[in-house]
Amino acid sequence: MKATIWHNPECGKSRATLALLEARSEIELSVVEYLKNPPAREKLAQLYRDAGMAPREGVRTFKTDAEERGLTQADDDTVLDAMIAEPRLIERPLVETQKGVRLCRPPEKVEEIL
């Protein structure tokens, strides 16, 4: 099975999810440090669509100004544009497999798509 994690090594939840994935020998893992290599807008939209969530549900509010900017209530295009301009607004970690996408908070949510 292939899996891709959009990872921030500074984030404890992201590190814990990565550890769960690395512990599974059958997984061919791709790690993308999204702050260095952010996903394209179309890819980000696809990730949220496949996760069954609106982009505003994936906005990082901790240590950002997302709420003050109204991003938690904004339309998809506004949120995606903000995330592409400032990748730190993307809540992490997002994990994609052929079974779907999950925002892995808590990290154990990754089990739903393995």
Side-chain angles (χ1 to χ4, degrees):
M1 169 181 278
K2 292 183 180 182
T4 301
I5 181 172
W6 278 265
H7 176 61
N8 179 348
E10 301 297 317
C11 172
K13 301 284 189 216
S14 195
R15 289 191 310 269
T17 303
L18 179 59
L20 288 171
L21 291 166
E22 289 176 332
R24 305 278 294 261
S25 61
E26 75 277 12
I27 294 176
E28 183 182 326
L29 184 59
S30 177
V31 179
V32 179
E33 289 190 32
Y34 71 92
L35 292 176
K36 294 178 182 176
N37 299 299
R41 188 181 194 283
E42 299 76 25
K43 180 64 177 180
L44 193 56
Q46 174 253 306
L47 289 169
Y48 290 122
R49 188 172 48 255
D50 290 354
M53 58 192 293
R56 70 178 163 271
E57 296 174 279
V59 171
R60 180 164 176 79
T61 56
F62 184 68
K63 294 187 179 181
T64 72
D65 63 351
E67 288 180 313
E68 293 82 5
R69 292 168 59 184
L71 293 176
T72 58
Q73 304 299 319
D75 64 84
D76 291 355
D77 287 331
T78 300
V79 174
L80 290 169
D81 289 344
M83 289 175 163
I84 295 306
E86 296 178 62
R88 67 185 182 89
L89 292 169
I90 301 170
E91 186 63 275
R92 72 277 183 150
L94 285 164
V95 177
E96 179 180 35
T97 72
Q98 44 272 50
K99 292 184 179 181
V101 176
R102 291 293 180 274
L103 176 57
C104 296
R105 299 184 77 79
E108 296 76 21
K109 284 191 70 80
V110 75
E111 298 293 338
E112 296 174 7
I113 55 170
L114 297 181

